[in-house]
Amino acid sequence: MKRFFLSTVTILSLWALALVALPGSLQAKEIKVGAILAETGGASFLGGPEGRTIRMLVDKINADGGINGDTIKLIIKDSGANPEKAISFAKQLIEEENVLAILGPSTSGETMKIKQICEQGKTILLSCAAAEVIVDPVAQYVFKTPQKDSFAVKKIYMEMNKLGISKIAVLAGNTGFGKAGKGQLVKIAPEFGIEVVATEVYDKKATDLSAVIAKIKANKDIQAVVNWSIVPAQAIVAKNIRQAGWDVPIFQSHGFGNIKYVEAAGAAAEGIIFPCGRLLVADSLPDSNPQKTVLMQYKHDYETKFSETASTFGGHGYDAIMILTEAIKAAGSTEMEKVRSAIENLQGFVGTGGVFNFTPADHNGLDMDSFAMMTVKDGKFVLYEN
Amino acid sequence: MTSELFLQYLFAGITYGSIYAIVAIGFNIIYNTTGIINFAQGEFVMLGGMLSISLHTFLPLPLAIAIAVIITMIIGALIEIIFIRWLESPSVLRMIIITIGISILIREAALHVWGEGVRSLPYFNGNEISSIRILSTNVSPQVLWVIGVCAVIVVLLSLFFKFTSLGQEMRACSSNRLAATLCGINTKNMVTLSFMLSAAIGALAGCVVSPITYTQYDSGTGLAIKGFTVAVLGGLGNSMAAVSAGLLLGIIEAFSIDIVPLAFQDAISISILLIILFVRPHGLFGSKEAAGLKEF
């Protein structure tokens, strides 16, 4: 009898407990997060690693119990770097899925096409694309994780000043990134006493550029070539320059930060100088570097899971999802306006791109120090030391 | 323009031209026996490159290329047998749409198999930076491979079509299908054969150009457009004309860079295609009468 009584009490109390606990567990929500990434197509070197990184992190966050008890539901759309697709996906994610935020797109061209859509739809956009125009002028809901391209240009020009280079040729791919970079290169050059003698734009699907290299090479004034693109053609540029027997210094943009480009360019990649986030040289950073732990952790997780070398592009995806997570935690809510303002006030967040300090006027949050100059030695990225 | 620059442009033009020509030849073979444009031709080029790159991880280069060519050839045959052979007097439009569908199918399959990254075969001789000095210019040895392979293919094809009975049967099939059937030629087998032949040529082209252009799951499309332009420019169905037209287009593209910005390069080739279609729809080297007899 006593035993029966005890078990009844236990069952009853458990049931009561469940009743109290149940509304709590019912309250745990799903946070819908969209992503528009160029997982296929010409910019797949960006979108591929970004997509893999974001999936990996979302799985990890959900496995660890979510953010404030809420799990993330990730909806990834593959735009194939097509701006028209990006537009329709953005509308779909905002209007039909009512997502809290959109991560990506991978390319600057796509981002610029959906900047206004997100602004008007009052949905947070955390772009993984580099062009400065994404956050200048600032749009309330639009943020970006990669470093600004003007910082990259300045870093390159500072290096050129040291090397005594004053007349350069600029090559750029006909993508949003290439066009924006070319604009910055031409605009900033006079500040550093550098003259852009020749500019050429090539198709993003270009397969051989030896003719245009011949044209530039014929101009004996040119002391260095700067190439600005995200497409495989940047490996072709390097090959064609060296095949023409031209021994000119080659500078590339931060779009070169994927080891696969180095593999594609092979021996021609040796000695290319470019500014990039420190992820590529995480191993050789001193322990005192604030980013070291984050970079090593991400590199290790990504490389063990996908057995391919981590790139800075995957890092931009990492920063995008982690900034959102941090902001939701800080806001203690998933209300659009609160999360948005939490991102805007996020300070000292250590990401793969650098240490982010957002302000209402700065929706990128990185400074020039987030770049380091790098070069290729024996098929590997190393810090460039002059 | 200095003579050095002139030669650099010329060689760049010949490089582009040979790549275009080698793709255009594949178009012509299928056009000759079936009267259709096989829009999956670019995908044969991509498949040849991708297969040889995968095989090269454990096979020596010549063997990897040979096997890649054979596999692509079998794929070409299968495509014809599965999608085209059983059609009873299909319209030209229907067959073209079928080939467009096949090209999308192959591309998506390649995306799943090989992923989205670019790959390439190693340079056959030397590496990415080696070049051979010809006259006063530097040329990558791979360019000579492309030109050489293109030349060999053209010569072998002409010999095959002129002197072997199989080649003559294929030509008969292209001249008049009904008459060929009446003479006891199995025209259906000839069509299969033409798909195999052009798949093999496309695959071989994909292997030799891979070190220069890289291979990606969707790299066939761009090459196919240029190859098609060249095939039309030369006059559909004529492989020799395709080579001349290819070189012509390549050289025009290369020299145009001196005058107009590089960004207009593709605009120039597309403009040429449009002008040809308006003014000489039978191509630069084709005959108007022969073109008039074709359905397409």
Side-chain angles (χ1 to χ4, degrees), chain B residues 98-118:
Chain B
I98 289 175
T99 65
I100 293 176
I102 294 167
S103 82
I104 297 171
L105 202 68
I106 299 178
R107 215 177 312 144
E108 293 302 314
L111 175 63
H112 282 282
V113 177
W114 287 289
E116 77 285 339
V118 293

Side-chain angles (χ1 to χ4, degrees), chain B residues 29-52:
Chain B
I29 294 171
I30 292 185
Y31 178 78
N32 270 342
T33 47
T34 61
I36 63 164
I37 301 292
N38 170 28
F39 280 96
Q41 186 62 31
E43 273 57 45
F44 290 151
V45 179
M46 178 271 296
L47 276 180
M50 281 298 194
L51 286 168
S52 60

Side-chain angles (χ1 to χ4, degrees), chain B residues 171-216:
Chain B
R171 277 201 300 152
C173 181
S174 97
S175 302
N176 190 324
R177 227 172 165 174
L178 188 63
T181 318
L182 289 173
C183 293
I185 297 169
N186 186 339
T187 48
K188 292 208 161 171
N189 283 353
M190 292 302 123
V191 173
T192 315
L193 195 64
S194 74
F195 265 84
M196 290 170 74
L197 202 56
S198 71
I201 291 173
L204 187 59
C207 297
V208 279
V209 303
S210 170
I212 300 179
T213 65
Y214 300 136
T215 310
Q216 200 172 5

Side-chain angles (χ1 to χ4, degrees), chain B residues 71-86:
Chain B
I71 295 176
T72 315
M73 217 161 142
I74 294 168
I75 293 173
L78 285 177
I79 285 173
E80 200 280 334
I81 290 166
I82 297 169
F83 296 103
I84 312 257
R85 197 182 182 92
W86 55 274

Side-chain angles (χ1 to χ4, degrees), chain A residues 280-318:
Chain A
L280 302 180
V281 290
D283 303 315
S284 54
L285 286 178
D287 287 339
S288 59
N289 191 298
Q291 279 181 274
K292 174 115 183 175
T293 345
V294 170
L295 293 179
M296 290 305 286
Q297 178 72 38
Y298 167 60
K299 211 169 141 67
H300 173 262
D301 290 351
Y302 186 90
E303 287 173 1
T304 36
K305 183 149 191 205
F306 302 109
S307 44
E308 67 168 18
T309 318
S311 70
T312 50
F313 306 116
H316 299 326
Y318 173 97

Side-chain angles (χ1 to χ4, degrees), chain A residues 203-379:
Chain A
D203 188 73
K204 55 177 179 283
K205 292 231 135 250
T207 49
D208 186 277
L209 295 163
S210 46
V212 77
I213 297 301
K215 182 182 179 183
I216 299 175
K217 192 189 167 202
N219 187 339
K220 300 286 175 213
D221 286 342
I222 291 168
Q223 294 166 297
V225 175
V226 184
N227 175 60
W228 211 271
S229 64
I230 42 164
V231 286
Q234 56 186 333
I236 296 177
V237 169
K239 276 198 314 188
N240 289 157
I241 288 179
R242 297 304 181 224
Q243 280 164 358
W246 195 16
D247 197 20
V248 72
I250 305 174
F251 288 82
Q252 300 258 25
S253 69
H254 41 318
F256 191 63
N258 188 326
I259 197 73
K260 286 186 179 165
Y261 288 129
V262 175
E263 285 161 12
E270 292 294 304
I272 288 175
I273 306 166
F274 69 106
C276 207
R278 291 185 170 76
L279 176 70
L280 302 180
V281 290
D283 303 315
S284 54
L285 286 178
D287 287 339
S288 59
N289 191 298
Q291 279 181 274
K292 174 115 183 175
T293 345
V294 170
L295 293 179
M296 290 305 286
Q297 178 72 38
Y298 167 60
K299 211 169 141 67
H300 173 262
D301 290 351
Y302 186 90
E303 287 173 1
T304 36
K305 183 149 191 205
F306 302 109
S307 44
E308 67 168 18
T309 318
S311 70
T312 50
F313 306 116
H316 299 326
Y318 173 97
D319 293 345
I321 183 75
M322 290 313 283
I323 286 170
L324 183 67
T325 313
E326 286 300 312
I328 296 172
K329 272 187 204 156
S333 145
T334 54
E335 260 176 65
M336 180 70 71
E337 195 43 48
K338 284 187 183 157
V339 176
R340 192 201 71 79
S341 116
I343 299 180
E344 213 166 64
N345 293 307
L346 193 64
Q347 291 287 315
F349 167 73
V350 183
T352 64
V355 181
F356 289 84
N357 292 302
F358 289 97
T359 66
D362 181 3
H363 277 198
N364 178 214
L366 292 172
D367 60 6
M368 210 157 114
D369 190 47
S370 53
F371 274 129
M373 288 307 276
M374 298 188 191
T375 186
V376 180
K377 202 178 167 199
D378 303 324

